[in-house]
Amino acid sequence: MTFNGIANDLHETTDHLLLNGITVMPGESKEDISYELTIRPDAFDKTDEEKIEIIARHFRSIMHTLGLDLEDDSLQHTPVRVAKMYVNEVFSGMNPKNKPAVTLFDNKYRYNQMLVEKNITLYSYCEHHFVPFMGKAHVAYISSGKVIGLSKLNRIIQYYSRRPQVQEKLTVQIGRELQRILNTKDVAVVIDAAHLCVASRGVQDTQSSTVTAAFEGRFRNEEIRKEFLSYIK
């Protein structure tokens, strides 16, 4: 696919204040904008083991309500499997304790061009239907004095992906985290993902995909943005 549409869309919004990929309209403040995961204050009062036990109990009730025979040897352990999958795997990015540690290095070689890491595999879950969306993430940054190990970019994207959320919010979260870690404003993120909430239900379109982007700092410059987009075609 091409990303020319992204470049045009960004150009058309330059009359608004852009805050990490979000357009701030007149009369709004930063406090009106929500890009963080929506969780309750007591989200981590329970241990992972307690959450698995509770989720398994409720999922067993869902299966029972649907009419499934939980005495069947193929189904009887499904509630626990689902609960462990939620807590330990697909939603593990909800818990800050699972955030990857990041080591930075001095940019001793004075590399002053963009670094692009593309085609990073991404799996996440739609918060509206709790079904997966999956695709590729492409990120870039321009160093302000520090560089990051390449695999850490993959791990950051994996961490933020393992949450129930919408793709737009995920894109902004990754962009802001890269800005924070690398202490640079110059960050770009593009995510191209297929959503099972579109493919497996509703309109059942298996061919469409969703592209979201966040361009900050020097990536809001048209030429630099075009250079980045040319690398990820």
Side-chain angles (χ1 to χ4, degrees), residues 17 33 105 114 116 141 159 163 179 182 198 219 231:
L17 172 63
I33 302 169
F105 306 94
M114 72 176 69
V116 180
Y141 73 93
Y159 169 74
R163 300 171 167 185
Q179 285 183 313
L182 292 161
V198 175
F219 286 94
Y231 293 141

Side-chain angles (χ1 to χ4, degrees), residues 3-13 222 225-226 229:
F3 295 93
N4 292 333
I6 294 173
N8 292 334
D9 289 345
L10 190 74
H11 179 72
E12 290 170 3
T13 60
E222 185 174 358
R225 188 168 63 253
K226 284 183 176 178
L229 295 175

Side-chain angles (χ1 to χ4, degrees), residues 145-195:
K146 296 287 186 180
V147 295
I148 187 172
L150 296 179
S151 67
K152 297 302 182 186
L153 295 172
N154 301 59
R155 294 190 184 282
I156 289 168
I157 289 169
Q158 288 176 353
Y159 169 74
Y160 281 95
S161 298
R162 291 172 179 167
R163 300 171 167 185
Q165 59 198 331
V166 295
Q167 184 175 322
E168 300 93 315
K169 188 181 288 187
L170 172 61
T171 305
V172 176
Q173 289 173 354
I174 292 171
R176 289 186 64 87
E177 180 66 2
L178 293 178
Q179 285 183 313
R180 186 191 69 79
I181 291 173
L182 292 161
N183 192 30
T184 178
K185 295 179 180 178
D186 307 322
V187 164
V189 181
V190 169
I191 294 176
D192 183 359
H195 290 242

